[in-house]
Amino acid sequence: METNATDSVPQNAIEAVVHENQVLVNGSTVKLRLLDTIHVKGTIIPKDNFVYGTVSLEGERLTIKIKGLRFKKSLFPVQLSVFDIDGLDGIYIPGAIARDVAKQSADQTIQAIGMSTFDQSLGVQAAGAGIEAAKSLFSKKIKLIKVMVKAGYKVLLRDDQQKED
């Protein structure tokens, strides 16, 4: 009987999927669903259990760190990283760099907007204050780079506490 070479390779990753379509920004929480049953500190966590991670956008990768998971009335501290199916840390988000460049360009444009008059009338001062408030609000909104992850997108979870051989 022939043995498939992949059968003898120990697994060091857990399959999961993005549970629902989600729009994410730096620091937001992503909802994932386990595709495998796992063991955590002697407890069996069944497949289809939800896990949640915190995201950060780094270039064209959306990195996700999972620091804990819940099953029934128990909380388990973990240190899991999300890997894309390509084997690299984080989910590949094409176009994220272009959005970052657009954000920086808009930010520079906002900073260039100003009042070029020295008229100190009350109306001009009020208009200047209104423009400054609008610049501040627009600047804060533009700094949030949003990315979309689709339901069913497969990822791999790896335990950061495992020792590498």
Side-chain angles (χ1 to χ4, degrees):
M1 183 167 132
E2 224 173 307
T3 306
N4 186 342
T6 59
D7 290 342
S8 61
V9 176
Q11 292 186 345
N12 66 353
I14 304 157
E15 286 188 317
V17 293
V18 173
H19 180 66
E20 58 198 3
N21 289 344
Q22 298 169 72
V23 176
L24 303 166
V25 297
N26 275 328
S28 58
T29 302
V30 64
K31 184 178 186 178
L32 305 170
R33 183 173 39 85
L34 297 175
L35 295 181
D36 295 326
T37 297
I38 61 173
H39 298 266
V40 178
K41 303 200 185 315
T43 301
I44 297 172
I45 311 291
K47 74 179 215 158
D48 294 327
N49 196 65
F50 297 120
V51 294
Y52 300 88
T54 305
V55 305
S56 67
L57 190 61
E58 298 172 15
E60 289 194 329
R61 306 300 287 199
L62 182 73
T63 60
I64 303 171
K65 300 296 181 191
I66 301 167
K67 298 189 185 254
L69 60 88
R70 181 184 69 82
F71 178 64
K72 295 187 179 181
K73 293 183 180 180
S74 296
L75 300 173
F76 298 95
V78 295
Q79 288 183 1
L80 301 173
S81 289
V82 174
F83 283 73
D84 207 329
I85 298 302
D86 62 9
L88 297 175
D89 192 11
I91 296 175
Y92 176 60
I93 306 290
I97 289 176
R99 283 189 293 274
D100 198 35
V101 169
K103 175 196 76 80
Q104 287 175 354
S105 295
D107 209 18
Q108 289 169 355
T109 302
I110 290 166
Q111 296 305 319
I113 295 172
M115 297 296 287
S116 59
T117 181
F118 292 103
D119 187 346
Q120 294 298 315
S121 72
L122 187 58
V124 171
Q125 288 178 17
I131 288 172
E132 288 303 314
K135 280 174 39 178
S136 176
L137 177 63
F138 187 58
S139 177
K140 286 179 179 147
K141 283 188 173 184
I142 202 97
K143 286 180 183 173
L144 289 177
I145 299 173
K146 296 178 183 178
V147 295
M148 165 76 140
V149 290
K150 295 191 175 196
Y153 192 90
K154 276 193 174 181
V155 295
L156 299 170
L157 309 180
R158 189 189 75 185
D159 187 352
D160 290 340
Q161 296 172 343
Q162 287 181 343
K163 301 275 189 223
E164 296 295 324
D165 291 332

